[in-house]
Amino acid sequence: MALISQLFGDEIYDPFLSMVNKCPVLNTPTDWKETPEAHVFISDLPGLNKKEVNVEIDDERVLKIYGEKKEEKDDKNVKWHRVERCRGEFRRSFRLPENVKTDGVKASMEDGVLVVTVPKQEVKKPEKKMIEIEEIKG
């Protein structure tokens, strides 16, 4: 037990917390809801502003939310006892359904919460066209 205390300090080692901090997907929680009018994505990005976050949709209807949580500049006289907040690049991707209208996407950010609204459109069903069969006279 003394060895564990030396390695991890006085607090109990939490493997789940360690995994969350190292995984950008777990560290960028995002909710996706569908309303009658749109698909809405809500991402928690605490400490970031809109200049540090990018939102794009590619030609294959993939919504991408990405950016970077920059490291704080450190004073040489500062001694850190614990670092739990994740830093570095993050990226989330979501394949959108066929019923999205990609040219009407809107994004807003307030208090570290990003909201991306992707409007829906009616998907055209393929039309059936009857082909007349001709009789061959021979």
Side-chain angles (χ1 to χ4, degrees):
M1 193 69 171
L3 178 62
I4 292 174
S5 182
Q6 287 177 349
L7 291 174
F8 301 113
D10 292 333
E11 293 188 31
I12 297 173
Y13 175 66
D14 185 347
F16 179 75
L17 182 60
S18 178
M19 179 182 71
V20 167
N21 286 332
K22 291 177 182 173
C23 179
V25 171
L26 294 176
N27 230 333
T28 311
T30 302
D31 296 337
W32 175 359
K33 67 179 177 180
E34 183 176 354
T35 69
E37 299 81 28
H39 292 271
V40 181
F41 296 83
I42 304 165
S43 296
D44 288 342
L45 301 168
L48 295 180
N49 63 52
K50 68 180 188 175
K51 293 178 182 177
E52 299 168 308
V53 178
N54 299 294
V55 178
E56 66 181 52
I57 295 182
D58 66 18
D59 292 338
E60 296 176 355
R61 294 186 331 271
V62 176
L63 171 68
K64 298 175 183 176
I65 300 169
Y66 61 96
E68 183 175 5
K69 297 178 182 180
K70 302 219 186 238
E71 292 214 18
E72 298 173 17
K73 293 188 178 178
D74 222 0
D75 183 351
K76 292 178 183 177
N77 297 322
V78 172
K79 177 182 175 186
W80 288 91
H81 291 276
R82 193 164 191 84
V83 178
E84 294 182 346
R85 295 178 299 143
C86 183
R87 292 157 181 84
E89 295 181 1
F90 63 90
R91 176 176 298 272
R92 295 299 308 270
S93 297
F94 304 92
R95 179 162 305 281
L96 300 171
E98 289 183 21
N99 68 345
V100 297
K101 186 176 179 184
T102 58
D103 59 351
V105 178
K106 294 184 179 179
S108 62
M109 191 163 176
E110 183 176 354
D111 296 331
V113 177
L114 172 71
V115 178
V116 180
T117 304
V118 184
K120 291 167 54 175
Q121 64 184 356
E122 190 174 324
V123 178
K124 295 180 182 176
K125 295 178 182 175
E127 292 182 23
K128 291 182 181 179
K129 182 177 179 182
M130 294 299 292
I131 308 299
E132 187 177 325
I133 301 173
E134 297 179 16
E135 189 173 320
I136 300 176
K137 296 180 182 176

